[in-house]
Amino acid sequence: MSVENIKKIGVIGAGQMGRGIAHVSALAGYDVHLLDSNADALAVALDTIKSYMDRQVEKGKAEQADVDAALPRISIGSEMSAFSDADLVIEAATEDEEVKKAILQDLCPVLKPEAIIASNTSSISITRLAAKTDRPGQFVGMHFMNPVPAMELVEMIRGIATNEETFKTVSALAVKMGKTPVPAEDFPAFIVNRMLMPMINEAVYTLYEGVGTVAAIDNAMRMGAHHPMGPLQLADFIGLDTCLAVMNVLHDGLADSKYRPCPLLVKYVEAGWLGKKTGKGFYDYSGDEPVPTR
């Protein structure tokens, strides 16, 4: 399948990544079906997409006519059967390998033979995920960055069985979405998270060991390294559960103690303090301004 043959895109998962992928897909001119088992999540996703598109118009980053055309292209639902005519389905569910494998096994029977599957996993082996499908040659990693509408990069990961046509087609699709595809090998966490997550984990260790407070650590990296956002605030935006999942993949996959997740990160996740999406993480987001929780 060539990129010209892609007309309808399916997206599985209405969280911050899934709705962002649906957003850029619709704005690029594709019909999009966004699937989630949670009806409330789907409603929130549509509202969020509209609000973000409106902000893009206000900032001159999108034309009103393009937004008016894009929003009706997005449909929502909870049945896999809606993907029967999809040309590409992007899995953007939670960063849990068993959950993803179960979704893929439910998805494959409804797809037409030529349909491509992409996973937005940020760390899990594309080869292992592809092996759970009926089309490993038509399976590829397509790791968007968060927030999807604003970030230019898409990591393109080829599994051992991914065929060249699939890789080229989905890379070309990323360009049509206004992104820059960068190829990455199928090793734990790929490129960005292989470097970014250990830095975040080390920032949590710095907090855990009392070297600095949340505010001190984040201010130090913003002002001392000119990072636009401190590592602990960034972890909150990513989701602490996702950070922990990636560190576990690194630790398990590379068998190196330097990737051991910080016990404090584990504790926050156990408490349900997952960051901005739950209202509390390294910062409390219940007020007008985020307040450090430590």
Side-chain angles (χ1 to χ4, degrees):
M1 182 185 290
S2 68
V3 70
E4 288 76 19
N5 298 127
I6 296 179
K7 307 297 182 185
K8 179 177 178 179
I9 296 174
V11 180
I12 299 176
Q16 55 189 347
M17 297 305 295
R19 65 190 180 227
I21 294 168
H23 175 138
V24 298
S25 299
L27 210 51
Y30 294 99
D31 291 329
V32 182
H33 185 76
L34 180 60
L35 180 145
D36 200 289
S37 59
N38 186 327
D40 291 339
L42 288 169
V44 169
L46 286 179
D47 288 343
T48 303
I49 290 169
K50 185 180 186 309
S51 295
Y52 206 119
M53 285 186 180
D54 288 344
R55 289 202 301 273
Q56 286 179 304
V57 172
E58 290 172 8
K59 294 178 179 179
K61 295 183 178 180
E63 297 295 328
Q64 186 65 55
D66 293 334
V67 168
D68 291 342
L71 288 170
R73 294 190 189 110
I74 303 173
S75 60
I76 59 173
S78 58
E79 299 296 328
M80 286 285 185
S81 58
F83 295 140
S84 61
D85 60 343
D87 303 300
L88 167 73
V89 176
I90 303 172
E91 174 275 311
T94 186
E95 194 67 0
D96 181 302
E97 184 166 345
E98 296 310 310
V99 169
K100 290 180 183 292
K101 286 177 177 177
I103 288 171
L104 294 171
Q105 288 181 316
D106 289 342
L107 170 66
C108 287
V110 308
L111 295 178
K112 57 189 181 183
E114 65 272 26
I116 295 171
I117 304 174
S119 176
N120 181 59
T121 177
S122 57
S123 61
I124 299 166
S125 167
I126 296 303
T127 298
R128 286 203 306 272
L129 292 177
K132 290 297 181 181
T133 74
D134 61 356
R135 61 195 74 208
Q138 294 159 229
F139 192 99
V140 68
M142 194 182 194
H143 178 214
F144 292 82
M145 304 294 119
N146 186 34
V148 177
M151 302 296 279
E152 302 90 344
L153 178 70
V154 174
E155 285 183 314
M156 295 297 310
I157 308 99
R158 190 196 316 258
I160 195 169
T162 306
N163 64 47
E164 188 63 21
E165 181 184 16
T166 295
F167 191 79
K168 287 182 176 178
T169 295
V170 181
S171 295
L173 176 70
V175 173
K176 284 183 172 290
M177 291 177 174
K179 306 303 180 186
T180 300
V182 171
E185 291 299 317
D186 191 17
F187 284 95
F190 318 128
I191 295 173
V192 173
N193 281 334
R194 175 74 177 266
M195 297 182 287
L196 176 64
M197 289 302 172
M199 183 196 74
I200 288 174
N201 194 52
E202 196 61 31
V204 183
Y205 266 115
T206 304
L207 177 65
Y208 178 60
E209 294 168 1
V211 179
T213 63
V214 169
I217 292 164
D218 277 355
N219 287 335
M221 291 304 290
R222 277 197 298 264
M223 294 184 284
H226 273 197
H227 288 194
M229 185 181 294
L232 299 176
Q233 185 182 15
L234 178 57
D236 274 359
F237 273 71
I238 293 169
L240 303 193
D241 52 341
T242 299
C243 294
L244 178 58
V246 174
M247 289 308 302
N248 281 329
V249 168
L250 282 167
H251 192 226
D252 294 343
L254 298 173
D256 192 323
S257 61
K258 71 180 180 180
Y259 298 117
R260 183 173 73 95
C262 178
L264 184 60
L265 178 59
V266 175
K267 188 72 70 180
Y268 269 60
V269 173
E270 288 175 342
W273 292 13
L274 307 183
K276 199 167 190 301
K277 62 186 176 184
T278 59
K280 185 175 287 187
F282 293 112
Y283 292 84
D284 186 325
Y285 297 91
S286 59
D288 294 336
E289 296 291 332
V291 177
T293 53
R294 290 178 77 93

